Amino acid sequence: MKWKRTHTCGDLRSSDIGKKAVLMGWVEKRRDHGGLIFIDLRDRYGITQIRIDPACKVYEDAKKLRSEYVAGFQGRVERRPDNMENKNLSTGEVELVAEDIDLMSIAQTPPFQISGKISSSEDLRLKYRYLDLRNRNMQRNLMIRHQTAQLVRNYFSENGFIEIETPFLMKSTPEGARDFLVPSRVWNGRFYALPQSPQTYKQLLMMSGFDRYFQIVRCFRDEDLRADRQPEFTQIDVEMSFIDEEDIFAIVERLVQKIFTEIIGVQLNLPFQRLSYEEAMMNYGSDKPDLRFGAKIHNLSALAKESDFQIFRQTIESGGLVAGICAKGCAAYSRKQIDSLTEQAKSFGAKGLVAIKIKDSDWESTLNKYFGDAQRQAIIGELAASDGDLILIVADQQDIVLDTLGQLRLALAREENWVPSDRYEFTWIVDFPLFEYSKEEQRYVARHHPFTSPNLADLDKLQAHPQDVHARAYDLVLNGSEIAGGSIRISDEKIQSKMFQVLGISHQEAHDKFGYLLEALTYGTPPHGGIAFGFDRLVMVLTDSSSIREVIAFPKTASAMSLMDGAPAQVSERQLQELGLQFVQELHKPSSENAE
Amino acid sequence: MKWKRTHTCGDLRSSDIGKKAVLMGWVEKRRDHGGLIFIDLRDRYGITQIRIDPACKVYEDAKKLRSEYVAGFQGRVERRPDNMENKNLSTGEVELVAEDIDLMSIAQTPPFQISGKISSSEDLRLKYRYLDLRNRNMQRNLMIRHQTAQLVRNYFSENGFIEIETPFLMKSTPEGARDFLVPSRVWNGRFYALPQSPQTYKQLLMMSGFDRYFQIVRCFRDEDLRADRQPEFTQIDVEMSFIDEEDIFAIVERLVQKIFTEIIGVQLNLPFQRLSYEEAMMNYGSDKPDLRFGAKIHNLSALAKESDFQIFRQTIESGGLVAGICAKGCAAYSRKQIDSLTEQAKSFGAKGLVAIKIKDSDWESTLNKYFGDAQRQAIIGELAASDGDLILIVADQQDIVLDTLGQLRLALAREENWVPSDRYEFTWIVDFPLFEYSKEEQRYVARHHPFTSPNLADLDKLQAHPQDVHARAYDLVLNGSEIAGGSIRISDEKIQSKMFQVLGISHQEAHDKFGYLLEALTYGTPPHGGIAFGFDRLVMVLTDSSSIREVIAFPKTASAMSLMDGAPAQVSERQLQELGLQFVQELHKPSSENAE
């Protein structure tokens, strides 16, 4: 470098006029205009216009500059001529009149446009990620990510939390998702696993007395292809001792409030509302309800039972549910639109969908005859429907009805633009069931994880009626997405052992996998609990991004591949030999073969 | 929990006398004394004495409390009786007179003493790490680690750096140490590798224009057993654009100064001194010299050449070096002590060691006759030796002489307590050779890594005389340990390609491994460079710890094993099948079999 940089491309203002300055950056644009050469020079701080006059000794060199060349310019700051200011730039009142150039790097023509709206294919962007990251939008996303991480760390530090780094090379204890494994060379035949979360470590830290722990930490999950998941993701991990649910809620709510105020200038009211799992399911057909709009689900079973409509009556008699939602202003839906809704309902498992248009304060439906006037009015009343609305009713097993109506509710909201932009509806979901029955595995599995404490009042039901046991678990839901989840943990070895038993994990297996944790519980364990935020999701919300890949510097594709460097890739025979490993045969491969 | 905690065990003072309080923690000690029960209750904030009077309703319960039980106490703060204060405790003027107890967890007798000086075997401590971490010293170490990480992050943030998370699942490009590999299930037959450092990513971020990057990041290296290494370690990783060495030095020196002032109250003077690699080797026989004491190496070849001592003359004639150090005050060393020094010298490859005691301003040595009076005095003068000192001379090939004297210098310093405690001697080592010749691989290898820029003045020697090329690399050395190292990087694709060539990496191999980086260099690359700190080592210095395992919450042994959970461990047949992997056979295993 010929000189030191004196200012960034976002610095210079009219107060700098007359000063000498050295700027360095990328050529955004070169314009030759009336004998003068203008360069828009870009760095991450902004853009400044450079002017090279014909008399300048490097005028000819300046002519050779192309987009994305890297160069430094030494010169003097001048006011731009009247009417030539650029109001869109913070540096738009001035320009640097160059006296000398330091050409640092030439550049090929990039495979896509760097500046402005992103328009190229995502695969191309990922292959040339280092160019894609020059885009102002991507730079802003990563800056917000950084600022949020800093805020989170300072918040927890100021509140007496300690960030403690936990191991990445741990023991494989798959329970739920698959672990990524790391073969050991020193201990041939054995593996480490990458953590799906630092769950057991943070509980051990509570047993060590650390009291208030947090960590912003990478986690790993070897899942099958899913569009908006990453094999590695980042978690804000928190654990506290001598606390109950209220302490967790309080510390988290103040954090979220602070993040929204300081990062995006949105004021949130505390405390957040709370819904039981039961309420969420019955009203929204989801344990992560989007509360930015209405169209709540209403139980119509009591009313439908009295009707002459056989399908409804049979459903209720066989223990099912009849429920409906009111689609405001959708009475004008065409046959085709209603058929489409019905198709959607069927795709969620419902056998059909009843759609009733409201006109002149009554149903406009072929079903009118099966329902008395009072019944029709009662259903209108229950759903608070009025003229121009469309009532949608599903009759089926309860879980199918709720899921179907919950999904239709979301589909209609998208279609009808019911969702107000820049509205943030937070809710805690509480009182989850502790278990869910896995038909596939023919056993109860933990809804959250096996360390979640049952409600103390339900302890005696643990073995005989596991389906009735509630968990001391909680999720934080924002606009229909789970952004954090956690629980009060089991702090008693006997309950933890019983929990493994209910989960069908034998004493031997529990000991093999979690023996150290079970033993740790017997040396004096404080009551403790915690929560973990999906940090990538949180940053998506803060940056208003539509994909998780927009908030990660070097993400992988849905098939867990890095298009930039071709990872995963084949390794040398020698590396395999050192690990004592060989491949059984070439097994399944995803059909697309664009690995390198 | 019966109540909410109102105070920690470090909170209560005489100003709280009369207040109600609820404390929770671990029973450090129970004493029954004159009918009263005293509990020392411990949490991470301190210890508070609890008194339970015989009239208390839970007196009998209190009798059952044992060490490490977890309990809460509700009561009233009282002043301790005169002469019963404990000056060693910040809460020592008061006690909590208990009214009620909440016994939260009983505890087995721990396998070792929790409080006070650590005395149990390290293996036992690692197996019960969650108990070991209750020790005040371990808690302090992790607290200092946290505080340092926070300080580092805030420092870099305030200076315009962005922390950007880089991938853990990357491409294997072993160059130097071995990668840990992660088999891909989705892409059968392929592997990810865990990063040895985010080197290529941070360079790509510079090409993206991020300008100032940092990250506190876990790195991985699959090394053979080494006592004070960990397979995963933490690095403070830094990279900057549009800078040269001086910018890196300035930002790092101010950081280090801030850490030492704020974390341990030690004032450092800036700038740090600098030594060239050549100077460091010639004067201290090491590229990480301990400058806390003297005993510098002096080149005695010119003087020795004139002597009648054949060994010295022959050494010099065959291109070797004669050099010595002065061991202050060691003339009284016994025959046995000097034999021991000679043995050490031989273990470093020297053929022998000449030891000369200084008495009455002359040598007291059987070699006196081979050296004229003037020669003996000249050597005494060169080494600034005086009566009572011991001169040690080695004659051999230059690298053996320097290494041997450098090692003897360190051994003597330990033996003779030359090293002042709480002194911190920082130095930059600069002007490293770019390459070193690997006899094993019969080629030049990069001394730092293949992305290190050669000195611009040496560019034309790159191909013909690689051994003469200097690197734009620098290490920061503290008290004889390298705590950080970095370089200005190659920012020109042509030089990078040439570098690979000199390293014996074929065009094809360079393209396979680093093709994306070579291509990235052609799209406009700013001059850039950076540095990486070994964070664990830094925290060792700040906590004055003697082992890296004292500053890591859950470390592994020298054989890369976690004694707590037994990782690495065998995994299920199903997990192996899903990866399409099998073991060739049971290969080598470390002899010790205490894996689980």
Side-chain angles (χ1 to χ4, degrees):
Chain A
M1 295 196 306
K2 282 188 186 175
W3 322 285
K4 291 263 171 192
R5 176 163 67 160
T6 63
H7 297 76
T8 73
C9 295
D11 278 344
L12 296 176
R13 298 287 183 280
S14 52
S15 56
D16 297 306
I17 287 167
K19 285 186 193 158
K20 284 268 198 183
V22 174
L23 301 184
M24 297 176 182
W26 284 258
V27 173
E28 169 100 357
K29 215 161 34 186
R30 195 199 78 218
R31 280 162 296 138
D32 299 3
H33 190 71
L36 303 176
I37 298 171
F38 293 98
I39 304 285
D40 281 352
L41 193 68
R42 183 193 74 228
D43 63 18
R44 79 163 154 107
Y45 311 91
I47 288 178
T48 301
Q49 179 167 289
I50 315 285
R51 194 183 86 208
I52 302 107
D53 295 338
C56 177
K57 67 177 180 184
V58 292
Y59 183 77
E60 288 306 317
D61 297 330
K63 270 192 166 166
K64 294 174 196 145
L65 294 172
R66 298 281 179 279
S67 286
E68 302 309 315
Y69 278 32
V70 179
F73 294 90
Q74 190 203 48
R76 191 174 297 276
V77 184
E78 290 194 5
R79 181 180 299 283
R80 294 203 198 182
D82 284 351
N83 300 321
M84 301 294 276
E85 290 116 354
N86 184 339
K87 304 272 188 224
N88 297 323
L89 289 183
S90 58
T91 63
E93 294 190 342
V94 301
E95 60 191 6
L96 185 78
V97 181
E99 291 162 5
D100 200 357
I101 296 181
D102 181 7
L103 175 59
M104 298 169 178
S105 174
I106 62 168
Q108 296 190 71
T109 305
F112 49 78
Q113 184 69 35
I114 299 293
S115 296
K117 205 164 174 303
I118 293 169
S119 59
S120 50
S121 84
E122 194 179 12
D123 277 5
L124 200 63
R125 291 175 57 203
L126 290 177
K127 179 166 163 58
Y128 296 95
R129 188 60 159 185
Y130 46 89
L131 297 178
D132 188 41
L133 289 176
R134 290 183 189 172
N135 186 281
R136 191 67 71 200
N137 199 46
M138 291 303 298
Q139 300 213 332
R140 175 185 148 274
N141 289 357
L142 293 188
M143 180 56 99
I144 286 179
R145 186 179 179 114
H146 163 64
Q147 287 165 341
T148 307
Q150 274 295 112
L151 185 155
V152 168
R153 287 195 162 99
N154 285 324
Y155 172 81
F156 281 118
S157 294
E158 285 157 16
N159 282 283
F161 287 74
I162 311 183
E163 184 161 24
I164 298 177
E165 296 172 62
T166 52
F168 280 82
L169 296 173
M170 61 179 289
K171 184 172 173 174
S172 178
T173 51
E175 171 70 10
R178 279 189 200 84
D179 286 331
F180 277 107
L181 297 179
V182 183
S184 164
R185 181 180 55 83
V186 175
W187 294 94
N188 230 272
R190 300 184 186 193
F191 289 84
Y192 305 97
L194 300 179
Q196 297 189 31
S197 95
Q199 183 62 34
T200 51
Y201 292 115
K202 66 176 175 172
Q203 292 193 236
L204 292 169
L205 288 171
M206 294 304 106
M207 300 175 205
S208 298
F210 279 100
D211 213 49
R212 297 187 146 209
Y213 144 96
F214 82 102
Q215 192 181 188
I216 301 185
V217 60
R218 203 73 55 84
C219 299
F220 305 83
R221 217 170 275 170
D222 183 10
E223 291 178 310
D224 289 321
L225 312 189
R226 286 176 74 168
D228 217 24
R229 289 284 178 96
Q230 290 283 310
E232 49 180 313
F233 55 97
T234 302
Q235 194 164 293
I236 305 174
D237 199 42
V238 182
E239 197 80 3
M240 300 170 77
S241 293
F242 302 117
I243 50 86
D244 62 21
E245 291 85 339
E246 297 301 328
D247 301 279
I248 304 279
F249 292 173
I251 202 91
V252 164
E253 289 182 357
R254 286 193 291 123
L255 170 65
V256 172
Q257 187 182 51
K258 196 174 164 73
I259 291 172
F260 274 71
T261 306
E262 296 188 15
I263 304 290
I264 57 172
V266 169
Q267 305 299 326
L268 301 178
N269 293 322
L270 301 189
F272 296 150
Q273 64 171 301
R274 300 179 196 178
L275 283 175
S276 72
Y277 172 81
E278 180 80 13
E279 289 173 293
M281 294 306 294
M282 293 307 290
N283 289 314
Y284 304 98
S286 167
D287 61 358
K288 33 182 195 282
D290 192 335
L291 304 181
R292 287 175 296 178
F293 58 94
K296 277 164 79 162
I297 299 170
H298 288 256
N299 183 339
L300 304 175
S301 286
L303 295 167
K305 182 167 67 174
E306 308 298 327
S307 76
D308 296 329
F309 194 50
Q310 280 306 312
I311 294 178
F312 284 5
R313 294 182 61 150
Q314 282 165 8
T315 299
I316 293 160
E317 277 156 23
S318 61
L321 172 72
V322 177
I325 60 175
C326 173
K328 282 279 160 207
C330 294
Y333 266 28
S334 65
R335 181 84 213 188
K336 204 174 143 196
Q337 283 175 298
I338 287 174
D339 283 351
S340 158
L341 289 175
T342 307
E343 282 315 304
Q344 285 184 59
K346 287 182 176 167
S347 75
F348 302 126
K351 285 185 284 288
L353 177 71
V354 173
I356 298 162
K357 296 178 175 184
I358 306 301
K359 191 178 175 185
D360 299 333
S361 303
D362 200 355
W363 296 15
E364 189 184 47
S365 167
T366 54
L367 300 183
N368 280 23
K369 57 187 167 187
Y370 301 113
F371 296 79
D373 287 349
Q375 284 173 343
R376 295 200 303 277
Q377 289 307 319
I379 288 176
I380 288 177
E382 171 67 28
L383 289 166
S386 46
D387 283 2
D389 292 349
L390 180 70
I391 291 178
L392 299 171
I393 301 178
V394 177
D396 216 311
Q397 294 170 40
Q398 174 168 311
D399 54 346
I400 291 176
V401 172
L402 296 175
D403 185 42
T404 303
L405 289 173
Q407 300 275 8
L408 286 179
R409 183 180 171 268
L410 294 176
L412 282 162
R414 277 190 298 273
E415 187 72 25
E416 296 295 317
N417 285 315
W418 288 344
V419 183
S421 66
D422 58 21
R423 182 155 161 200
Y424 299 93
E425 287 290 343
F426 287 89
T427 184
W428 290 104
I429 307 295
V430 296
D431 289 331
F432 282 91
L434 185 59
F435 302 100
E436 56 190 359
Y437 190 77
S438 164
K439 284 179 190 157
E440 194 188 334
E441 302 190 42
Q442 300 231 326
R443 64 174 182 108
Y444 284 99
V445 296
R447 222 189 141 80
H448 279 74
H449 55 57
F451 313 109
T452 302
S453 175
N455 264 357
L456 298 181
D458 297 339
L459 266 185
D460 53 341
K461 289 185 276 190
L462 200 51
Q463 263 161 315
H465 305 286
Q467 71 281 4
D468 295 337
V469 177
H470 286 81
R472 296 183 68 182
Y474 32 81
D475 282 355
L476 182 59
V477 170
L478 165 61
N479 294 352
S481 293
E482 180 199 326
I483 62 163
S487 64
I488 303 299
R489 325 298 182 188
I490 296 169
S491 55
D492 180 320
E493 185 267 337
K494 288 189 196 67
I495 300 177
Q496 186 65 67
S497 291
K498 201 175 284 180
M499 182 76 181
F500 285 136
Q501 218 175 309
V502 177
L503 292 170
I505 299 174
S506 73
H507 180 76
Q508 185 59 45
E509 190 183 352
H511 178 82
D512 287 351
K513 283 183 175 175
F514 300 110
Y516 63 102
L517 187 76
L518 288 169
E519 191 174 6
L521 285 167
T522 67
Y523 284 105
T525 300
H528 63 287
I531 195 163
F533 281 76
F535 186 57
D536 308 291
R537 304 269 151 203
L538 180 63
V539 178
M540 277 178 70
V541 172
L542 296 171
T543 56
D544 198 21
S545 296
S546 57
S547 153
I548 196 172
R549 294 180 294 279
E550 301 295 299
V551 297
I552 295 174
F554 300 101
K556 298 199 171 54
T557 62
S559 64
M561 173 167 295
S562 164
L563 296 180
M564 188 176 72
D565 61 11
Q570 282 170 7
V571 298
S572 69
E573 204 45 49
R574 180 176 155 191
Q575 286 173 289
L576 275 179
Q577 275 166 13
E578 287 187 327
L579 296 171
L581 282 173
Q582 64 188 17
F583 283 97
V584 180
Q585 55 184 28
E586 297 270 307
L587 290 180
H588 59 288
K589 289 196 183 201
S591 56
S592 153
E593 265 296 350
N594 57 344
E596 287 160 346
Chain B
M1 293 196 306
K2 282 187 184 174
W3 322 285
K4 291 264 172 192
R5 177 163 66 161
T6 62
H7 297 77
T8 72
C9 295
D11 279 344
L12 296 177
R13 297 287 183 278
S14 51
S15 56
D16 297 306
I17 287 167
K19 284 186 193 159
K20 284 266 196 184
V22 173
L23 301 185
M24 296 175 182
W26 283 257
V27 173
E28 169 100 356
K29 215 160 37 185
R30 196 200 76 215
R31 281 163 294 138
D32 298 2
H33 190 69
L36 303 175
I37 298 171
F38 293 98
I39 304 285
D40 281 353
L41 193 69
R42 181 192 76 228
D43 64 17
R44 80 161 154 106
Y45 309 91
I47 289 178
T48 301
Q49 178 168 291
I50 315 283
R51 194 183 86 208
I52 303 108
D53 296 335
C56 178
K57 68 175 179 186
V58 292
Y59 182 76
E60 289 305 317
D61 297 330
K63 271 194 165 162
K64 296 176 196 143
L65 294 172
R66 298 281 178 280
S67 286
E68 303 308 316
Y69 278 32
V70 179
F73 294 89
Q74 190 201 48
R76 192 174 296 276
V77 184
E78 289 193 6
R79 180 181 301 283
R80 293 203 199 181
D82 282 352
N83 300 321
M84 300 294 276
E85 290 118 355
N86 184 339
K87 304 274 188 224
N88 298 324
L89 290 182
S90 58
T91 63
E93 293 190 342
V94 300
E95 60 192 6
L96 184 78
V97 181
E99 291 161 5
D100 201 357
I101 297 182
D102 181 8
L103 175 59
M104 297 169 178
S105 174
I106 62 169
Q108 297 191 72
T109 304
F112 48 79
Q113 183 70 34
I114 299 293
S115 297
K117 205 161 174 304
I118 293 169
S119 59
S120 50
S121 85
E122 195 180 12
D123 277 6
L124 199 64
R125 290 175 57 202
L126 290 177
K127 179 165 163 58
Y128 295 96
R129 188 59 159 185
Y130 46 88
L131 297 178
D132 188 40
L133 289 176
R134 289 184 189 171
N135 186 280
R136 192 67 71 200
N137 199 46
M138 291 303 298
Q139 299 213 333
R140 175 185 149 273
N141 288 358
L142 293 187
M143 180 57 97
I144 286 179
R145 186 177 178 115
H146 164 65
Q147 287 165 343
T148 308
Q150 275 294 113
L151 184 155
V152 168
R153 286 195 162 99
N154 286 323
Y155 172 83
F156 281 117
S157 293
E158 285 156 15
N159 281 284
F161 287 74
I162 311 182
E163 183 161 26
I164 299 177
E165 297 170 60
T166 52
F168 279 82
L169 297 173
M170 61 179 289
K171 185 172 171 174
S172 178
T173 52
E175 171 71 9
R178 277 189 203 84
D179 286 331
F180 277 107
L181 297 179
V182 183
S184 165
R185 182 180 54 84
V186 176
W187 294 93
N188 229 271
R190 300 185 187 193
F191 290 84
Y192 304 97
L194 300 179
Q196 297 189 29
S197 95
Q199 183 62 33
T200 52
Y201 292 114
K202 66 177 177 172
Q203 292 192 238
L204 291 169
L205 288 171
M206 294 303 107
M207 301 174 205
S208 296
F210 280 99
D211 213 43
R212 297 187 149 209
Y213 145 95
F214 82 101
Q215 192 181 186
I216 300 186
V217 62
R218 203 74 55 85
C219 299
F220 304 84
R221 218 169 275 169
D222 184 11
E223 291 178 309
D224 288 322
L225 313 188
R226 285 176 73 168
D228 217 25
R229 288 285 177 96
Q230 289 282 309
E232 48 180 315
F233 54 97
T234 303
Q235 193 164 294
I236 305 173
D237 199 42
V238 181
E239 197 80 2
M240 301 170 78
S241 293
F242 301 118
I243 50 85
D244 61 20
E245 290 86 339
E246 296 300 329
D247 300 280
I248 305 277
F249 293 172
I251 203 92
V252 165
E253 289 182 358
R254 285 193 292 122
L255 170 65
V256 172
Q257 187 182 51
K258 196 175 165 72
I259 291 172
F260 274 71
T261 306
E262 296 189 14
I263 304 289
I264 56 171
V266 169
Q267 305 298 327
L268 302 177
N269 293 322
L270 303 188
F272 296 149
Q273 63 172 302
R274 300 179 195 177
L275 283 175
S276 72
Y277 172 82
E278 179 81 13
E279 289 173 293
M281 293 306 293
M282 292 307 290
N283 289 315
Y284 303 98
S286 168
D287 60 358
K288 32 183 195 283
D290 191 334
L291 303 181
R292 287 175 295 178
F293 58 94
K296 277 164 80 161
I297 299 169
H298 289 256
N299 183 337
L300 304 175
S301 286
L303 295 167
K305 184 168 65 175
E306 307 298 328
S307 76
D308 294 330
F309 194 50
Q310 282 305 313
I311 295 176
F312 284 6
R313 295 182 62 147
Q314 282 165 10
T315 299
I316 293 160
E317 277 157 24
S318 61
L321 173 72
V322 177
I325 60 175
C326 174
K328 280 280 162 206
C330 294
Y333 265 30
S334 66
R335 181 80 212 190
K336 203 173 144 197
Q337 284 175 297
I338 289 175
D339 283 352
S340 159
L341 289 176
T342 307
E343 281 316 302
Q344 285 184 59
K346 286 183 177 167
S347 76
F348 303 127
K351 285 186 285 289
L353 177 70
V354 173
I356 299 162
K357 297 178 174 183
I358 307 301
K359 191 178 175 185
D360 298 334
S361 304
D362 200 354
W363 297 15
E364 189 183 47
S365 166
T366 54
L367 300 183
N368 281 25
K369 59 186 168 191
Y370 301 114
F371 296 81
D373 287 348
Q375 286 172 344
R376 294 201 302 277
Q377 289 306 318
I379 288 177
I380 287 176
E382 171 66 27
L383 289 166
S386 45
D387 283 1
D389 293 349
L390 179 70
I391 292 178
L392 300 170
I393 301 178
V394 178
D396 216 309
Q397 294 170 41
Q398 174 169 310
D399 54 347
I400 291 176
V401 172
L402 296 176
D403 185 42
T404 302
L405 289 173
Q407 301 275 11
L408 286 179
R409 183 179 171 269
L410 295 176
L412 282 162
R414 277 191 298 271
E415 186 71 26
E416 296 293 318
N417 285 316
W418 289 344
V419 183
S421 65
D422 57 21
R423 182 154 162 202
Y424 299 92
E425 287 290 342
F426 287 89
T427 184
W428 290 104
I429 307 295
V430 296
D431 290 331
F432 281 90
L434 185 60
F435 302 101
E436 56 191 359
Y437 190 77
S438 163
K439 283 177 189 156
E440 195 189 334
E441 302 190 42
Q442 300 231 324
R443 65 174 181 107
Y444 284 99
V445 296
R447 222 192 138 80
H448 279 73
H449 55 57
F451 313 109
T452 302
S453 176
N455 264 358
L456 299 180
D458 298 340
L459 267 185
D460 53 342
K461 290 184 275 191
L462 202 50
Q463 264 162 315
H465 305 286
Q467 71 280 6
D468 295 337
V469 177
H470 285 83
R472 295 183 69 182
Y474 33 80
D475 282 354
L476 182 59
V477 170
L478 165 60
N479 295 351
S481 294
E482 181 198 326
I483 62 165
S487 64
I488 303 299
R489 325 299 182 186
I490 296 169
S491 55
D492 180 322
E493 186 267 336
K494 287 188 197 68
I495 299 177
Q496 186 65 66
S497 291
K498 201 174 285 179
M499 181 76 180
F500 285 135
Q501 219 175 306
V502 177
L503 291 170
I505 299 174
S506 73
H507 181 76
Q508 184 59 45
E509 190 184 351
H511 177 82
D512 287 349
K513 284 183 174 174
F514 301 110
Y516 64 102
L517 187 76
L518 288 169
E519 191 175 5
L521 286 167
T522 66
Y523 284 105
T525 299
H528 63 287
I531 195 163
F533 280 76
F535 186 56
D536 308 292
R537 304 267 151 205
L538 180 62
V539 179
M540 277 179 70
V541 172
L542 296 172
T543 56
D544 197 20
S545 297
S546 57
S547 153
I548 195 171
R549 293 179 296 279
E550 301 294 299
V551 298
I552 296 174
F554 299 100
K556 298 198 172 54
T557 62
S559 64
M561 172 166 297
S562 163
L563 296 181
M564 188 175 72
D565 61 11
Q570 282 171 5
V571 297
S572 69
E573 204 45 49
R574 180 176 157 193
Q575 286 173 291
L576 276 178
Q577 275 166 13
E578 286 187 327
L579 297 171
L581 282 173
Q582 65 188 18
F583 283 98
V584 180
Q585 55 183 27
E586 297 270 309
L587 289 180
H588 59 287
K589 290 198 182 199
S591 56
S592 153
E593 265 297 349
N594 56 344
E596 288 159 344

